[in-house]
Amino acid sequence: MRKLLNTVYITSPDSYLSLDGENLVIQKGSTEAARLPLHNLESIIAFGYTGASPALMGACAKRNIALSFMSQSGKFLSRVVGEVRGNVTLRKAQYRLSDNMEESTKIARNFIFGKIYNGRWVIERATRDYSERLDAIKLKKVSEGLAKALNLVLNSRNLDELRGFEGESATQYFSVFDDLILQQKDKFFFHGRNKRPPLDNVNAMLSFVYTLLAHDTAAALETVGLDPYVGFMHRDRPGRISLALDLMEELRNVYADRFVISLINKRVVNFSGFMQKEDGAVIMDDDTRRTILQAWQNRKQEKITHPFLQEKLEWGLVPYAQAMLLARFIRGDLDEYPPFLWK
Amino acid sequence: MMVLITYDVNTESEGGKKRLRRVAKQCMNYGQRVQNSVFECVMDSAKCREVKNKLEKIIDKERDSLRFYYLGNNYQNKVEHIGIKESFDVEGTLII
């Protein structure tokens, strides 16, 4: 397996990114804040209206370093994409599959199967770990509901049916999401998913972490030569990284949601870092965002055994491993795309 | 792994100054300058061969010297810093 390289987060909006030789140079005003060799980097994420030189963009595109720009609040703005190259046969095979509704459904089924399966285990594990603090009967019921949904997903005939099952099981899953929050309950609660803008602390964190994950999955797909914009369940829409969103489905609960919950339960974040604006939108302050990035980076370094590959790797490489398996399936080396099934 | 690259380039002649600049520039591409002619580079062995090859071509073996210290993968506890110019860990969390 490939080595997991580092990600740089630039959170100060007054910095400028440029290239010097083989180095990324981050300038704050007229002083040099950091100088990093590009070969140590996997991706660069800039928050706020940080500028970057075209030379750096070119160098990143050439070396497969994902360079993304986000707004101060973590909303995705743009990604730098280099010239189209790499494996054209693989991409064409991907487009053919995406145009074929029946084949698309087959792949989408596996993404959603993974999502529901992982969601179920997030709940099962919480029930097991905190049996005396949680309403085990309620959680068991949801878990059983999700188990039933798994069978329905496997037998779904088209994408609409599949989306229906997916939506239903997401509602079920999120109905007990609030129960998983064990600490700071008066300030961190979850009464349903809302976005654009998020209306409570938990949703603000979820949105932020999902953006980070989408950046990682898109970068992973790009690395293995797939087109992150052409999806199977998420259909084409200009500017949307549909395939990255597809691939993200199975990682959402097990990677992002659990991460958010552990930040709250371990009191890594606290409510003073959140502000509510007049229109109800909740935003995080810079320190909280930094804390989350730091924790996210640490989570990426944690090692697990990949359930399909049976190989030890870092969490941060899971999107890459899945992208690689997807590419193998599209190329015809695997009979089916194996979703990431985490227990 | 971490490789420490240090050099001594004889700058008595005009050509020496040029070599010094070129060596420093190459080292900068691969690692972090921690002291004037000392660079810490975190890289795999392929990259290491690459930089070694480049540097060997630049220096004049009659006059200059190069040293490579291989600190391996667990280099964190082998490096201690005292005084100014604190470096940062390229493998640690990078939030700027």
Side-chain angles (χ1 to χ4, degrees):
Chain A
M1 190 51 71
R2 201 166 64 102
K3 186 173 163 27
L4 176 67
L5 299 172
N6 214 337
T7 305
V8 202
Y9 299 94
I10 295 112
T11 54
S12 35
D14 57 337
S15 31
Y16 185 77
L17 316 178
S18 59
L19 179 76
D20 180 27
E22 290 287 303
N23 282 257
L24 158 71
V25 177
I26 301 164
Q27 275 176 312
K28 268 191 201 168
S30 53
T31 54
E32 187 180 303
R35 171 181 284 272
L36 300 156
L38 286 176
H39 71 87
N40 291 122
L41 300 180
E42 175 124 358
S43 63
I44 304 169
I45 308 182
F47 293 89
Y49 301 108
T50 312
S53 77
L56 176 73
M57 294 185 191
C60 287
K62 200 169 152 206
R63 288 168 187 73
N64 262 329
I65 299 172
L67 172 58
S68 294
F69 296 96
M70 316 276 183
S71 77
Q72 193 70 37
S73 57
K75 192 174 148 298
F76 174 83
L77 296 174
S78 81
R79 265 154 44 75
V80 173
V81 180
E83 58 183 308
V84 176
R85 67 203 148 82
N87 199 333
V88 61
T89 22
L90 177 65
R91 270 204 308 272
K92 277 182 117 171
Q94 178 192 352
Y95 298 155
R96 274 195 290 272
L97 279 181
S98 167
D99 281 339
N100 182 331
M101 279 303 163
E102 211 167 299
E103 292 295 324
S104 288
T105 312
K106 274 188 200 161
I107 305 173
R109 225 157 35 194
N110 287 9
F111 289 131
I112 299 307
F113 185 88
K115 177 177 183 175
I116 300 176
Y117 182 97
N118 288 335
R120 178 170 178 231
W121 281 101
V122 167
I123 293 169
E124 282 281 335
R125 203 185 325 196
T127 324
R128 190 185 64 202
D129 292 351
Y130 303 101
S131 50
E132 62 281 10
R133 299 184 60 182
L134 291 171
D135 182 354
I137 297 165
K138 183 177 165 195
L139 292 180
K140 268 275 176 256
K141 222 179 121 200
V142 172
S143 163
E144 276 162 23
L146 293 178
K148 274 193 206 112
L150 284 177
N151 283 322
L152 294 175
V153 163
L154 284 183
N155 296 318
S156 56
R157 286 172 309 244
N158 55 51
L159 285 174
D160 284 331
E161 222 176 88
L162 189 61
R163 283 197 195 95
F165 295 136
E166 192 242 332
E168 257 167 57
S169 54
T171 318
Q172 281 196 51
Y173 166 79
F174 277 126
S175 74
V176 292
F177 196 68
D178 190 50
D179 294 71
L180 306 182
I181 301 168
L182 299 168
Q183 303 287 340
Q184 316 186 64
K185 283 221 71 128
D186 48 335
K187 300 290 179 191
F188 290 91
F189 45 78
F190 185 87
H191 301 317
R193 178 87 181 105
N194 49 55
K195 48 196 167 181
R196 289 184 223 113
L199 301 173
D200 57 60
N201 300 350
V202 176
N203 274 297
M205 286 167 77
L206 283 176
S207 292
F208 184 65
V209 173
Y210 288 160
T211 331
L212 296 178
L213 185 56
H215 165 96
D216 288 353
T217 47
L221 289 166
E222 203 104 47
T223 319
V224 299
L226 289 168
D227 186 338
Y229 293 86
V230 179
F232 300 112
M233 194 181 88
H234 290 86
R235 303 309 298 180
D236 301 350
R237 187 193 291 170
R240 177 165 77 176
I241 38 173
S242 300
L243 187 59
L245 296 177
D246 278 357
L247 187 63
M248 202 174 128
E249 289 296 353
E250 60 193 65
L251 300 175
R252 271 179 205 268
N253 16 42
V254 74
Y255 196 175
D257 297 356
R258 277 186 65 223
F259 172 72
V260 167
I261 289 183
S262 76
L263 289 180
I264 302 169
N265 285 348
K266 288 182 182 156
R267 294 176 182 273
V268 180
V269 291
N270 87 27
F271 71 91
S272 59
F274 295 82
M275 281 165 293
Q276 187 142 29
K277 294 204 290 194
E278 297 78 12
D279 60 349
V282 171
I283 48 170
M284 296 183 266
D285 66 14
D286 287 355
D287 281 343
T288 307
R289 217 168 293 124
R290 257 169 192 269
T291 317
I292 295 178
L293 289 175
Q294 183 112 37
W296 180 249
Q297 208 50 20
N298 292 342
R299 162 59 62 92
K300 276 203 209 173
Q301 304 287 343
E302 276 171 31
K303 290 226 169 158
I304 55 158
T305 305
H306 192 283
F308 182 79
L309 298 170
Q310 288 300 323
E311 205 176 315
K312 273 215 164 230
L313 49 89
E314 290 95 350
W315 258 117
L317 279 180
V318 168
Y320 173 75
Q322 290 310 115
M324 199 184 66
L325 290 170
L326 183 61
R328 280 191 197 162
F329 161 72
I330 291 174
R331 219 182 278 136
D333 297 344
L334 288 173
D335 292 335
E336 212 172 331
Y337 165 71
F340 183 76
L341 302 178
W342 184 240
K343 258 191 183 182
Chain B
M1 62 173 174
M2 157 97 78
V3 182
L4 193 74
I5 306 178
T6 67
Y7 54 77
D8 238 344
V9 177
N10 188 312
T11 55
E12 273 161 22
S13 65
E14 199 46 44
K17 281 181 187 150
K18 197 172 170 186
R19 289 201 304 279
L20 178 72
R21 273 198 304 275
R22 289 178 65 200
V23 169
K25 202 167 185 178
Q26 278 308 328
C27 289
M28 198 89 95
N29 283 344
Y30 291 90
Q32 183 183 180
R33 183 173 221 152
V34 286
Q35 280 176 357
N36 278 340
S37 49
V38 181
F39 286 82
E40 284 179 6
C41 311
V42 176
M43 53 193 177
D44 53 27
S45 42
K47 275 272 171 219
C48 187
R49 293 280 280 269
E50 192 181 306
V51 63
K52 205 151 80 181
N53 184 272
K54 279 189 183 166
L55 294 178
E56 260 189 76
K57 278 187 191 151
I58 298 170
I59 62 158
D60 176 351
K61 283 184 188 142
E62 307 281 293
R63 294 193 176 82
D64 315 330
S65 69
L66 271 175
R67 288 181 85 87
F68 294 84
Y69 299 83
Y70 301 97
L71 297 179
N73 287 322
N74 299 315
Y75 56 86
Q76 275 90 354
N77 48 8
K78 292 182 183 153
V79 183
E80 195 184 331
H81 181 92
I82 297 168
I84 55 156
K85 284 212 283 187
E86 192 73 69
S87 65
F88 49 84
D89 176 11
V90 259
E91 291 196 298
T93 312
L94 297 171
I95 302 177
I96 293 147

